[in-house]
Amino acid sequence: MFTQLKNIDTAFKHIKQFSIFLIIGNVLTMCFCIYKSTQAVNLAHNQVHILYNGKLLEAVAADRKTNLPVELRDHIKTFHEYFFDLSPDDKAIQANVGKALYLADESAKRQYDNLRESGYFNNLISANISQEITVDSTRLGGNQWPYRFTCYATEKLVRSSGTVYRKLVTQGEVRDIAIQTDNNPHGFLIQHWEILANRDTILQK
């Protein structure tokens, strides 16, 4: 009689332990499934499919911080190209510089006024010189707004007598204005911009 009761008690303990392990296993499995489902949903939300020329392309959305250095460099490069890519035409110069001034504060306007007063643009027009710029590198500094930068570029001045290359070095800061427009697609603004060097290096005939 006692042996039978002891066997029943042991069997009940085994069943109880098995039930506890089974419940814990189910809970862990459910947690894992919920985690993977959430991960899959987030991944799906970050994926965009675009139909282009009859082809389905996949685009992945990313946090802006991931591409921040790339966006900053592109903003700086675009500004310098607008400001220094010049044709020997006053209206073309004003149009290009006007685009550049959307990307910077009054410090860029001061630099433009200084160059105009010194006769820089008149010399380009009178000598029929076209100017192109290639941004060689942009060094970013700091880890918070406003980000400091130093831009190294090469200017190419083409005239009838030959081609002149100049080394251009500028510096400034970039701050986030949090507003993106057609004229300023990145929503950044260059401030405290100054030209450190703009000197001839090579003359080609």
Side-chain angles (χ1 to χ4, degrees):
M1 178 81 176
F2 289 107
T3 302
Q4 189 176 3
L5 290 173
K6 187 175 180 180
N7 291 338
I8 293 173
D9 185 55
T10 302
F12 179 75
K13 286 181 180 179
H14 286 315
I15 292 173
K16 183 179 179 181
Q17 289 177 350
F18 176 77
S19 299
I20 291 172
F21 288 138
L22 183 63
I23 292 171
I24 292 173
N26 286 335
V27 170
L28 291 175
T29 302
M30 288 176 62
C31 290
F32 179 76
C33 290
I34 292 171
Y35 168 75
K36 294 302 288 185
S37 298
T38 304
Q39 194 178 47
V41 170
N42 290 335
L43 183 62
H45 283 168
N46 288 335
Q47 290 180 337
V48 180
H49 291 88
I50 302 170
L51 187 63
Y52 178 73
N53 287 340
K55 296 180 180 179
L56 189 64
L57 306 177
E58 183 179 302
V60 179
D63 189 352
R64 190 180 192 187
K65 290 183 178 179
T66 306
N67 294 320
L68 185 59
V70 176
E71 288 196 49
L72 287 169
R73 288 190 181 95
D74 186 67
H75 182 86
I76 295 165
K77 177 185 176 186
T78 301
F79 165 76
H80 283 80
E81 287 176 347
Y82 281 146
F83 199 94
F84 290 103
D85 272 353
L86 305 173
S87 300
D89 181 283
D90 189 53
K91 288 185 178 179
I93 290 172
Q94 290 184 29
N96 245 26
V97 174
K99 294 177 183 178
L101 295 181
Y102 280 110
L103 309 178
D105 68 356
E106 69 278 359
S107 60
K109 180 65 165 61
R110 283 197 302 270
Q111 293 289 341
Y112 170 68
D113 291 339
N114 291 339
L115 290 172
R116 180 166 285 278
E117 289 174 8
S118 68
Y120 184 81
F121 300 111
N122 287 335
N123 290 337
L124 293 180
I125 295 170
S126 61
N128 202 27
I129 300 171
S130 60
Q131 178 177 289
E132 301 173 7
I133 187 174
T134 301
V135 175
D136 301 317
S137 65
T138 302
R139 190 177 71 229
L140 300 175
N143 54 8
Q144 60 183 6
W145 301 104
Y147 285 87
R148 291 201 57 79
F149 73 87
T150 304
C151 180
Y152 302 90
T154 302
E155 290 176 294
K156 178 183 178 183
L157 285 78
V158 181
R159 63 184 81 182
S160 57
S161 59
T163 302
V164 175
Y165 289 90
R166 286 180 176 167
K167 280 299 178 184
L168 175 71
V169 182
T170 70
Q171 71 176 13
E173 298 176 347
V174 182
R175 66 182 172 92
D176 187 3
I177 58 175
I179 299 174
Q180 296 171 305
T181 65
D182 290 339
N183 294 316
N184 190 343
H186 291 298
F188 299 146
L189 196 71
I190 292 173
Q191 60 187 20
H192 306 307
W193 182 64
E194 57 182 333
I195 299 172
L196 301 180
N198 191 6
R199 58 184 181 273
D200 294 352
T201 55
I202 304 172
L203 173 62
Q204 291 183 354
K205 294 182 179 181

